Every structure is written in structure tokens, then in C-alpha cells.
Amino acid sequence: MARTSSVRRLVAVLAVLTTGLAGCGESDDAPVLPDAQLTETIPTAMENASVPGAIVGVWQDGAAPYVQAFGVRDTATGDPMSPDLFMRVGSLTKTFTTTAVLQLVDEGKVGLDDPIDRYVPDVPNGEAITLRQLAAMRSGLFDYSEVVIPALPSQPQRQWTPQELLAISFSRPPLFAPGTAFDYSNTNTLLLGLVVEKASGLPLNTYIAERITEPENLDDTSVPTTAALPSRHARGYAKTPDGATVDATDWSPSWGFGAGNMISTLDDLRVWVRDLAEGTMLSPATQHEREQFQPAPSEGTGSLYGLGVENQNGWIGHNGNIAGFQTYAYYLPPEGKTVVVLVNSNADPLGVWNFFTEIVKIVSLDHPWPAPPS
């Protein structure tokens, strides 16, 4: 299936080249992205979101892409952002981990309705919580990050183990009976990462590299094992509980095991989010299971959530928020459009939500970005 993905992308590139040679841009029917409007709007939207730098990419089938960098990647030096920089992508990681689980479903190594206690012991309600419910954020398990994230500024270099994180979650009672409600919890995807390791016999970072990023030719996407970012990366800025903005670039992402610790680039995410939406790495039957979207009110007004993937008024993908960085990556199947935005601050998550809203407002009148969660 990975080979099919590569061939499909090559055919698409050749088709664009052929169209350009044959028509030389003279066709009145060729779609055109609103480049000037985007370029005019983005700096003001960034200022409103308190974002020092942003990378924005918009692609539509048959149109020339819009790829621009704005602002600075380092507030101390004033070095400008550029489209090729490495960034932490936060919860985009969940799309990779759940894809890994679904690949194992296709191979018959796990079942979506298997209880989690078949793979991980001592989970509260573990005999009743299924892998499907974990992927759909419907387990009811307490989110360990509610404890960990507020403490990050005081211990930014701490290397967390999955077992330490689960101990925090399991020390609190479940929020509700499995399957009865939606609650976005990093505990769910951390557990799925352990399922991947148990069922495949590989460390999660190795599995994702060998079975997803390498076959997809995502050469700049990785699961880090340290706090280091690859060369040519943006600095990332976060806000501490006392309101100060600090450089959080080198804070350990270990607390996001399987749920929020990955690194990528604009161009890799462009490829990944479309393949995610189209199910390139999965069988049609398993992709159908992934797309059983249910209401996810905490993720936006009218938001829906499937198995490790969002449906935001037709936009399929995920966003990510980790100390210093935020990422939005979505594909709109009805219009063949992809939008990826990476920013180097998570000091104002609502501001970045509104920033992305402004971009979508320009790109698609028929599929506006939903209002933020109330």
C-alpha cells in the first residue's frame, strides 16, 4: 500500500507538469488559490494570536500551491522563519499511533474490540475498555497530562516513562463508564502506543519509522527519543503559570509518548494528512472503521472524532499543541484542498484557533472552520 501511495503522488506530479506544458496556464478553468488575500491576512492574524512565526501551506488539486513563511523563528536573533524548518507537531502524533494500531488490525494481530487489559495490566475498567474506545477518546480514563503539563516549567527536562504517566492517570477514578461519553485524553493514545509495542514486538518509534514514515517517504518526520530537534528548526515559545513567555524549544517531549511527541515539517505533513484522510496505509474496511465519527464537543462546535482523527466541518486531520509549538493539518476531500499551519508558540491556543479560522475562511467558503469549544 505504501508503494501505491508513492506511485499516486508521482502520477499527480506528472499530471501537473503535463497540464502546465499543454496549457501554459492559459486555461480559464484551472483553480487559483487566493494568494494575495492570504498574504495580506496572515500577519495581522498572527499578531492577534501572539505568534512570532508561522509556516503556512495551502494546496488544491490543479492549482499552484501557496507556501509561505512569516515572522521569526528566533525572537532573540530575529532570524526569519522558512518553510523547511523542523517543528514539534504535538497531537498530530496521535494520527500515527492510531494508524499503527489499525495496521495491526489489518494484519489480524489485534482487534478493535479487544479489551485493553489483554495488552496492558492494571488499567481501571481495563476488562471493559476496548481499543476502539481508546482511539475514539471514549474510555473515561483520567488524562495524566492535566497533572504533568502545569508542572512542565518547573521540571522541563524530566524524562517521563509511560509507566510513570499511567500511574498518574490510574491514581484518579475514571470520569465515566467506557463508551458513554467523549473526553480527549492523552492516556488513551499512550495506551495504544503500548499496544503497538506489545503486538508488534517493536519499540513504538521503530514501528512508526519502519511501517509508516519510511514507506510514506516522510523523511523529515520522526519520533524523538531525546529533547533534541533536528538542525534548522524554529525556537518554540510557551507561557508559564505566572504569565511569562519563555523559550520551551528544548523541553522534553517524553510526556507525550504516542500522543504528542513527534517532529515533522510542512511538506511531510502535506503528504501525510491527505494519505491519512484517504486511508492510503489501511484496508478500505479498516479505514471505514476509522471514519465512524462521533460528537466531540470539547474539540470545537460541531466537531466530530473518529479513531485518532478529527472531522471539522468536512476538514479531516488533527491539530497539535505542545510546549512552544502548535500545528494544524487538514485535508478537505470535497474540494481536494490541504491546509497545514505550523507556529512556534503555544502561549495562546485560542488565538491560534482563530488564526487558522481566518485562513480557512479565505480558502473555503463552503466549509468554514468551526467555532472553538465553549
Side-chain angles (χ1 to χ4, degrees), residues 5 8-9 12-13 16 58-63 92 95-96 99 216 218 266-282 287 290-291 309 315-318 329-340:
S5 170
R8 176 173 57 75
R9 289 201 293 273
V13 170
V16 170
V58 182
W59 298 264
Q60 180 176 8
D61 293 346
L92 260 292
T95 64
F96 290 88
T99 296
E216 285 281 276
L218 305 179
L266 180 81
D267 196 53
D268 271 13
L269 291 181
R270 168 187 66 85
V271 173
W272 171 245
V273 74
R274 180 161 183 167
D275 286 351
L276 173 73
E278 295 181 340
T280 300
M281 302 294 288
L282 304 174
Q287 179 70 6
R290 164 166 254 170
E291 295 170 345
V309 66
W315 292 92
I316 309 299
H318 216 288
Y330 293 86
Y331 175 64
L332 183 61
E335 299 181 10
K337 291 176 181 173
T338 304
V339 178
V340 179

Side-chain angles (χ1 to χ4, degrees), residues 46-57:
M46 285 174 57
E47 184 177 356
N48 293 337
S50 302
V51 169
I55 306 171
V56 179

